Amino acid sequence: MQNHKEEALGKRTRYYQSMIDIDSLIKGQDYSELKDSYILFICKSDPFRNESDKEYGLPCYTFNNRCNECDNVKLNDKTTKVIYNASGYKNEKDARIRALLHFICTNEPGEDDLSNRLSSLVEKIKENDKFRRNYAAMNLHDRDIERAAKKEGIAQGIAQGITQGAAEKAVEAASQLIKMGKLSLEEIAQATGLKTSQIENIKSSAGTAL
């Protein structure tokens, strides 16, 4: 599930694919015995845009490895990546998938039995400490939030008249100082040249406590 735009979505699918394959091989399988695998992502907004920065608007994007020179030639590596765009639910032909995407996009389960059951499960999972710990252990969610926080801080630095290179260094330094937990927000702001409000945003977005 992706609640915010992920610029490296393709690399993330590659990461998950490698995890699946390595897990299979560690269990003693030969590479020729690898089974079909599917990576599924559900994004709340359209992750793909054209050269004019306009969304394609498809409810589903399916990727298989094919030959660039001839579309009819398939690599046949038995891998498929499917990325759903919840915001494009109106264009989905399958009624059950459309209802699911509608629920994810609007948080309104509607009359579909599946989306209603999922809505109930979501509420239970929110209270499940073990699930939250296991998810956090993957560290991917935290990395995404930290990248978003840094990107926002860099943009704010540039808006203040700082060059992009200097803004990137200042935000990176602020992030490291926050992790160390030895300085106050004001001291970090003074050391990096950023505003206290920017330091607060980086700290809050990264979920790091001083």
Side-chain angles (χ1 to χ4, degrees):
M1 289 288 294
Q2 293 290 134
N3 288 322
H4 60 277
K5 186 177 180 181
E6 172 57 62
E7 296 179 352
L9 188 60
K11 289 184 178 179
R12 173 165 282 206
T13 65
R14 177 177 163 185
Y15 171 76
Y16 285 133
Q17 183 63 62
S18 68
M19 290 179 67
I20 292 173
D21 292 341
I22 289 174
D23 183 62
S24 297
L25 295 175
I26 287 176
K27 292 177 180 178
Q29 275 189 301
D30 182 76
Y31 74 87
S32 63
E33 300 174 311
L34 289 173
K35 298 179 180 179
D36 292 13
S37 69
Y38 293 84
I39 307 294
L40 279 75
F41 272 86
I42 303 178
C43 303
K44 293 198 72 171
S45 59
D46 197 328
F48 300 108
R49 297 173 179 269
N50 61 22
E51 295 179 353
S52 302
D53 200 35
K54 183 178 180 181
E55 296 177 352
Y56 286 100
L58 297 177
C60 180
Y61 300 87
T62 304
F63 298 92
N64 296 107
N65 289 326
R66 294 175 180 270
C67 176
N68 288 337
E69 290 73 19
C70 181
D71 287 342
N72 292 328
V73 179
K74 299 179 181 179
L75 188 59
N76 198 29
D77 60 353
K78 305 297 184 181
T79 65
T80 301
K81 285 86 174 176
V82 182
I83 300 175
Y84 288 101
N85 164 30
S87 66
Y89 68 87
K90 292 181 180 179
N91 297 321
E92 174 56 50
K93 295 180 180 179
D94 187 295
R96 287 173 61 83
I97 295 178
R98 183 170 62 250
L100 174 62
L101 296 180
H102 172 265
F103 164 57
I104 293 170
C105 181
T106 65
N107 204 32
E108 299 173 359
E111 299 179 358
D112 179 78
D113 180 60
L114 175 61
S115 58
N116 270 284
R117 285 190 286 118
L118 284 175
S119 181
S120 298
L121 285 171
V122 167
E123 295 305 315
K124 291 180 181 178
I125 287 174
K126 286 179 180 178
E127 305 300 324
N128 190 316
D129 290 335
K130 182 179 180 181
F131 174 84
R132 288 204 303 270
R133 288 196 302 271
N134 289 341
Y135 184 74
M138 293 178 66
N139 204 26
L140 295 176
H141 182 255
D142 290 343
R143 291 178 193 173
D144 289 342
I145 293 177
E146 185 174 358
R147 277 197 297 269
K150 288 182 179 180
K151 188 174 182 180
E152 181 179 352
I154 291 169
Q156 292 176 351
I158 293 173
Q160 291 176 219
I162 304 174
T163 64
Q164 181 168 345
E168 290 175 352
K169 290 180 180 179
V171 170
E172 181 61 33
S175 299
Q176 294 302 318
L177 289 171
I178 288 172
K179 289 179 180 179
M180 290 171 63
K182 296 183 178 181
L183 299 178
S184 67
L185 297 180
E186 291 74 15
E187 289 172 328
I188 295 174
Q190 186 176 3
T192 60
L194 298 174
K195 294 181 179 180
T196 304
S197 59
Q198 290 174 264
I199 305 300
E200 289 175 342
N201 287 338
I202 295 171
K203 173 178 176 290
S204 175
S205 298
T208 307
L210 286 175

